[in-house]
Amino acid sequence: MVQFKLQFLMFLLFAIKQLSNSMAQKSLLALTVYYESKCPDSKSFILKQLEPSMQHLSDYVQLKFVPFGKARSINYGDAGFECQHGPSECLGNIVQDCSLHLLGDRSDKERLEYVACEMYTEAGSQGRFDCVERAMLSSTEVEQCVLQGKGTALQLESEYYTDLVKPKFVPTVTINGIFNQEIQNNSQRDLFGTICSLIPDVPPCAKHYNYLALNHVLYV
Ligand SMILES: *[C@@H]1O[C@H](CO)[C@@H](O)[C@H](O)[C@H]1NC(C)=O
């Protein structure tokens, strides 16, 4: 009888632990980044704001990338696209769209690593597949996607989603599908702080606020 109770208790503890794990892993916030492949502001945002923030917040944020920015389709994509920083940017956008598509259900961390590689090296916009291969994707498949219509379809889809937001500035972010100018402005300077202001109770943010409060006490 005692034995049975102990086993039941262990089971209960195990179940509670599993439940709290799965609750902690549920992302609280969907962050979508609208950007373009050769844009210096997109590059610096992804490398200096997004990457460092996600090192702490990846458990709580679901990331989505839309590589299109201020491009536009010509004749519904039949005659290609026109991009803010020229034709090489269009190539970079379509390579990233194809690769993100082919990454399928791989983790946000892998998607971010891939996009950061493209933004840092500008490989895709130069027609190179360094980052594609580093992401363990097949460069043949990405090339086929770019050349054989699938890539155009993906870019038209990205154009559709970008048009819903109508970004005045690239990169633009939305949170849970909603654009807010104040969040946009703040996220360019301090994405980590901006996200934490929305989910202050998650451990990395609570730690951040404790640290700020401590500094305030020590240095005022
Ligand atoms: C956001 O920044 C823009 C440009 O710097 C500025 O004109 C605008 O007033 C700011 N808006 C808000 C809500 O902070």
Side-chain angles (χ1 to χ4, degrees), residues 63-82:
L63 261 184
K64 189 169 183 232
F65 291 104
V66 183
F68 196 78
K70 294 202 167 163
R72 64 179 194 91
S73 58
I74 306 165
N75 211 357
Y76 302 101
D78 281 350
F81 297 85
E82 230 169 52

Side-chain angles (χ1 to χ4, degrees), residues 123-186:
S125 59
Q126 294 163 13
R128 291 185 292 111
F129 290 126
D130 308 28
C131 297
V132 167
E133 280 159 13
R134 221 176 93 180
M136 311 290 273
L137 287 170
S138 145
S139 51
T140 315
E141 275 182 61
V142 173
E143 194 172 8
Q144 278 172 359
C145 169
V146 169
L147 297 175
Q148 296 175 358
K150 179 65 188 172
T152 300
L154 290 169
Q155 281 283 278
L156 288 173
E157 205 175 299
S158 292
E159 179 173 38
Y160 172 79
Y161 287 116
T162 305
D163 276 352
L164 293 179
V165 179
K166 297 195 186 4
K168 289 199 278 297
F169 181 81
V170 178
T172 275
V173 296
T174 62
I175 305 276
N176 298 334
I178 293 166
F179 175 81
N180 173 291
Q181 188 67 59
E182 198 182 337
I183 287 175
Q184 165 67 19
N185 287 14
N186 293 340

Side-chain angles (χ1 to χ4, degrees), residues 78-107:
D78 281 350
F81 297 85
E82 230 169 52
C83 296
Q84 201 184 1
H85 302 91
S88 62
E89 177 159 82
C90 293
L91 179 59
N93 289 347
I94 200 168
V95 166
Q96 289 195 42
D97 231 347
C98 281
S99 302
L100 287 164
H101 174 71
L102 290 166
L103 282 169
D105 58 6
R106 288 218 238 149
S107 69

Side-chain angles (χ1 to χ4, degrees), residues 15 37 51 64 86 90 111 115 129 143 151 174-175 192 200 205-206 208:
S37 67
E51 263 207 313
K64 189 169 183 232
C90 293
R111 308 171 95 72
V115 170
F129 290 126
E143 194 172 8
T174 62
I175 305 276
F192 182 77
C205 294
H208 174 67

Side-chain angles (χ1 to χ4, degrees), residues 43-76:
K43 179 174 180 170
S44 97
F45 177 76
I46 288 166
L47 298 175
K48 296 189 182 138
Q49 298 291 338
L50 191 59
E51 263 207 313
S53 303
M54 285 311 114
Q55 272 171 22
H56 303 288
L57 295 171
S58 60
D59 284 349
Y60 312 101
V61 174
Q62 193 187 350
L63 261 184
K64 189 169 183 232
F65 291 104
V66 183
F68 196 78
K70 294 202 167 163
R72 64 179 194 91
S73 58
I74 306 165
N75 211 357
Y76 302 101

